[in-house]
Amino acid sequence: MRILLIFIFSLILSFYFSDLSSRVWRKIWPRRGWPISYHHSLTGLILALIGIAALAFGHKTLGSPNNIFLGTALLGIGIGTALHHLLSENFIVSEKMEKNFVQKHETATERFLEILPGALTWLALTSPVWLSFTLPFALAYLILIADIYWLFNAIKISVLIYFGYKKMVYAKKQEWFKKLKEEFPNEWDNYYHFIVLPTYKESLEILQPAFDAIVGSDYLSKKIFIGVGLEERDSPEKIAQVKEYWKKNGHKIGGAFVTIHPYGLPGELAGPATNRNWAINNAAKEFAKMGIDPSKVIVTTLDADFVIHPQFLAGALHKYLSTPAGIRDKRSFTGAFLYNNNYWQAPAPMRLISSGTAYWQLSEMVGSDKYINFSSLSMNMQSLLDIGLWIPNKVNDDSGFYWKAYYHFKGDYKVIPHFLPISADAVLDVSLAKTFQNQYLQLKRWAYGVEHIPFIVKQYFKATDLDFWDKTDKLSFIMWSYFKWGTLALFIAFGGILIPFLNPQYSESVVAYNMPIISSWILTAAYIGLLATIIVHEKTVPPRPKSWGIFHKIWSYLQWTLMPLILVTIATIPAIDAQTRLMLGKYMEFRVTNKARSST
């Protein structure tokens, strides 16, 4: 444990010290005409080599365990120093040689970055096996650290969920349209809303509640426009039904643009991103004909099953206008996601995943400045056009848009929540087996956001004008997010079980006796952290169906006992699948999650 802590502490400390010393160096020496650039990576490499030598041969001169402690510290310092130089200066030893090497092997570099997340995940997943033979006690302490991290996260998320819930309750109670007219009397009327809703395979039964909510918004109807993005390969009957709906209801708002996105355009991967791009580009032309400035249009993206709150459009514009003029067009705005359309119709595991997703999103909105776009956003149309809209050849469009916007605005991009709810569908198909299949595939598609890692890393090194700590923080955050998604629950659940099984000598130690007890207490405390989630759940989900019997109702309260099983199976395995596929070069295509409604 001490060795591990020494290594981590030395690495982190040297990373921060390297940044401080390099900043001082750049400020002092250039003013004195210092002709030599200081490559502190060389110092780091030398220290790392000395550390390795101390670990290998130091016992003869320093004695054991002094050589281990010193060697570990030097190794950590060396790696931290060299890593800082790489990230801050974009090279380790020779900038020209390394840049030429990367450019010459661009395809190989891309593949390396695609392989990296999956390789790290599998390294962690298999570590309980190979560490049980070599470093069983280090593995035991790693598991305890992971347990403590899990407990801390559970408490933090529970607290943030509650605060997010309170913000959502407050937002729902406000008369945002009235506030707009009172607080921005000379501005609000200059803006239009354009809602873009791509659809493929969803029936009118699914689409109509979303359409009706837009038409019924508490907002000036002539200022609302919708773009319904149909797909060329969709059924003619569905296309005709959608066109007929807007033929009858289009007069109730400012206008409805129904587009049909062609299939198989060059450079495009079929999915909502390309459909959305097509619809927005078409709308920009229509607005130009009407003399409407795109900088005065707020675009809101919705999925086909999203039902917005009546005050949603007014609340989004109020948040936009409340944001300082210098930055509002470099921000996107989002509501809070709930899965209430068919919540009690879905099986218990799907309900828990939907709730977990909704409340985790809510906690991230409250507690993180790194919240990444998810499923819906509201943003100035001119800003969207300047960014270049969504990446057309990737599966995971939401997270891809975030990173594209972040680098486009040179790091000055954030997602700002206004907490007005959007109600979506929990996963439900025509049979239980297909429901589980759809849930798994949906989670795998979400986890496939890891496909953007090569883009993120390459832009990180190209964007030398971005704040070093901000872009490093963002890169670390996204790498850690995908890594823990596929590893943490399994590592905690099964890592400790393997050690005594694979290494009988470990079983005789005090650590082997105490670790399961300490671990169980920590994880029990983390499970208690679910109480806040359950409380918020009961306040946000629809009333249970009156037709339900007593046992059905009891089970709906006991469903939370399934959470540990869900965490180590359907919530984790799709992430491993997605990362492994990318690692092996088996690229995914976008797959629409089938939506169904039940009459019960």
Side-chain angles (χ1 to χ4, degrees):
M1 181 64 173
R2 285 177 293 174
I3 295 172
L4 180 64
L5 289 176
I6 287 171
F7 176 77
I8 295 173
F9 179 76
S10 300
L11 189 152
I12 294 174
L13 184 64
S14 65
F15 190 91
Y16 279 89
F17 179 77
S18 296
D19 188 71
L20 176 63
S21 59
S22 63
R23 287 173 188 264
V24 172
W25 181 276
R26 284 194 295 268
K27 285 184 178 180
I28 296 175
W29 291 116
R31 291 202 297 268
R32 299 182 181 180
W34 189 262
I36 301 172
S37 296
Y38 171 50
H39 294 176
H40 55 279
S41 59
L42 298 177
T43 302
L45 293 174
I46 291 169
L47 289 173
L49 290 172
I50 295 173
I52 293 171
L55 288 169
F57 310 109
H59 62 280
K60 296 179 181 179
T61 55
L62 300 171
S64 182
N66 292 336
N67 72 305
I68 297 176
F69 292 140
L70 179 61
T72 301
L74 289 173
L75 183 62
I77 292 170
I79 292 174
T81 303
L83 180 62
H84 176 268
H85 189 278
L86 171 64
L87 296 180
S88 61
E89 303 296 334
N90 296 348
F91 69 97
I92 299 178
V93 178
S94 170
E95 182 176 12
K96 184 177 179 180
M97 287 179 60
E98 291 171 29
K99 185 177 181 180
N100 289 338
F101 178 85
V102 171
Q103 289 176 344
K104 186 176 179 180
H105 301 88
E106 189 171 352
T107 302
T109 303
E110 179 94 6
R111 278 297 295 138
F112 170 77
L113 293 173
E114 290 178 344
I115 291 168
L116 182 62
L120 291 174
T121 291
W122 278 107
L123 186 68
L125 289 174
T126 57
S127 64
V129 176
W130 46 269
L131 282 179
S132 291
F133 292 111
T134 55
L135 297 168
F137 295 103
L139 175 61
Y141 288 124
L142 276 173
I143 293 169
L144 283 177
I145 291 172
D147 291 342
I148 294 168
Y149 174 81
W150 190 279
L151 171 62
F152 171 77
N153 246 18
I155 295 172
K156 183 188 77 170
I157 290 173
S158 295
V159 172
L160 293 175
I161 285 171
Y162 180 75
F163 283 114
Y165 164 71
K166 299 297 286 185
K167 287 179 178 290
M168 183 170 63
V169 170
Y170 172 82
K172 289 169 65 176
K173 289 181 178 179
Q174 305 308 303
E175 297 181 11
W176 292 109
F177 190 40
K178 182 179 178 181
K179 281 177 171 286
L180 264 180
K181 292 184 282 188
E182 291 174 351
E183 298 176 22
F184 303 99
N186 300 320
E187 291 182 78
W188 80 271
D189 196 36
N190 296 326
Y191 285 88
Y192 297 82
H193 281 284
F194 175 62
I195 298 92
V196 58
L197 193 153
T199 170
Y200 176 56
K201 290 188 176 180
E202 293 91 357
S203 66
L204 190 61
E205 178 189 16
I206 301 295
L207 292 167
Q208 186 164 336
F211 293 162
D212 291 345
I214 293 166
V215 172
S217 293
D218 185 9
Y219 199 79
L220 194 62
S221 60
K222 68 178 183 180
K223 295 285 185 175
I224 301 173
F225 291 83
I226 187 171
V228 183
L230 298 167
E231 287 287 350
E232 182 181 53
R233 25 178 211 155
D234 216 335
S235 72
E237 294 79 12
K238 181 262 188 80
I239 292 174
Q241 288 174 345
V242 170
K243 287 183 175 180
E244 182 63 24
Y245 175 94
W246 285 110
K247 185 177 179 181
K248 292 180 178 179
N249 296 281
H251 67 280
K252 297 178 182 178
I253 58 175
F257 312 137
V258 179
T259 59
I260 299 179
H261 175 236
Y263 177 67
L265 293 177
E268 287 192 354
L269 182 72
T274 51
N275 188 316
R276 199 180 292 124
N277 290 350
W278 184 268
I280 291 175
N281 283 323
N282 173 77
K285 296 174 185 176
E286 295 295 331
F287 287 138
K289 294 176 186 176
M290 300 177 191
I292 296 175
D293 184 350
S295 67
K296 298 299 181 183
V297 178
I298 303 300
V299 176
T300 296
T301 66
L302 298 177
D303 287 354
D305 57 313
F306 282 7
V307 177
I308 59 174
H309 188 273
Q311 292 283 337
F312 186 93
L313 300 180
L317 182 57
H318 187 278
K319 196 69 175 179
Y320 172 84
L321 293 176
S322 300
T323 306
I327 64 172
R328 65 175 60 146
D329 293 335
K330 294 183 283 187
R331 302 289 184 266
S332 62
F333 304 84
T334 186
F337 301 94
L338 299 173
Y339 294 83
N340 290 348
N341 292 347
N342 61 342
Y343 186 78
W344 293 116
Q345 298 173 12
M350 279 70 252
R351 295 200 297 264
L352 290 179
I353 290 171
S354 296
S355 297
T357 301
Y359 303 139
W360 175 76
Q361 292 282 340
L362 196 60
S363 72
E364 284 288 296
M365 290 177 191
V366 176
S368 175
D369 65 343
K370 294 179 283 291
Y371 179 77
I372 292 175
N373 295 106
F374 179 80
S375 291
S376 172
L377 62 79
S378 298
M379 194 172 189
N380 184 282
M381 177 180 265
Q382 187 60 59
S383 298
L384 286 170
L385 295 171
D386 291 343
I387 292 169
L389 302 177
W390 281 259
I391 300 174
N393 59 351
K394 296 294 182 182
V395 171
N396 198 298
D397 53 318
D398 303 312
S399 60
F401 176 85
Y402 173 89
W403 293 106
K404 189 176 180 182
Y406 175 77
Y407 287 114
H408 173 82
F409 290 121
K410 301 186 183 303
D412 189 15
Y413 173 74
K414 285 183 173 63
V415 183
I416 300 178
H418 53 73
F419 294 102
L420 283 157
I422 299 171
S423 184
D425 279 20
V427 173
L428 178 66
D429 210 321
V430 294
S431 68
L432 185 62
K434 287 191 174 182
T435 297
F436 271 92
Q437 180 189 36
N438 266 289
Q439 183 68 83
Y440 181 90
L441 294 172
Q442 183 191 65
L443 290 171
K444 185 169 76 170
R445 172 164 55 83
W446 289 353
Y448 199 65
V450 74
E451 68 178 328
H452 296 296
I453 292 295
F455 172 79
I456 297 166
V457 172
K458 288 190 290 185
Q459 290 299 317
Y460 174 97
F461 286 108
K462 288 179 182 178
T464 55
D465 52 347
L466 264 65
D467 179 78
F468 170 71
W469 282 108
D470 184 70
K471 68 176 183 177
T472 303
D473 184 36
K474 295 288 196 302
L475 177 62
S476 304
F477 170 78
I478 197 63
M479 292 293 291
W480 172 243
S481 296
Y482 286 122
F483 176 75
K484 70 178 180 180
W485 189 349
T487 61
L488 193 59
L490 289 174
F491 186 73
I492 288 172
F494 302 112
I497 298 174
L498 293 174
I499 310 175
F501 179 74
L502 296 173
N503 192 332
Q505 292 181 345
Y506 167 83
S507 304
E508 301 172 3
S509 67
V510 176
V511 175
Y513 177 79
N514 290 328
M515 196 196 80
I517 299 172
I518 297 171
S519 184
S520 65
W521 276 105
I522 293 173
L523 295 179
T524 300
Y527 197 80
I528 293 172
L530 270 176
L531 284 175
T533 305
I534 296 171
I535 292 169
V536 172
H537 170 270
E538 292 303 314
K539 291 179 177 293
T540 55
V541 297
R544 288 166 175 78
K546 293 180 179 179
S547 60
W548 276 11
I550 185 66
F551 292 109
H552 207 161
K553 289 180 180 178
I554 291 173
W555 172 238
S556 72
Y557 290 102
L558 295 177
Q559 65 183 11
W560 296 97
T561 58
L562 294 173
M563 186 59 78
L565 179 63
I566 288 171
L567 286 172
V568 299
T569 54
I570 198 168
T572 296
I573 296 173
I576 300 171
D577 189 353
Q579 293 181 32
T580 304
R581 283 178 177 274
L582 184 66
M583 180 176 69
L584 299 176
K586 297 181 178 180
Y587 304 110
M588 287 175 54
E589 293 186 356
F590 187 90
R591 180 186 181 278
V592 175
T593 301
N594 191 41
K595 297 175 178 64
R597 297 279 171 84
S598 170
S599 57
T600 59

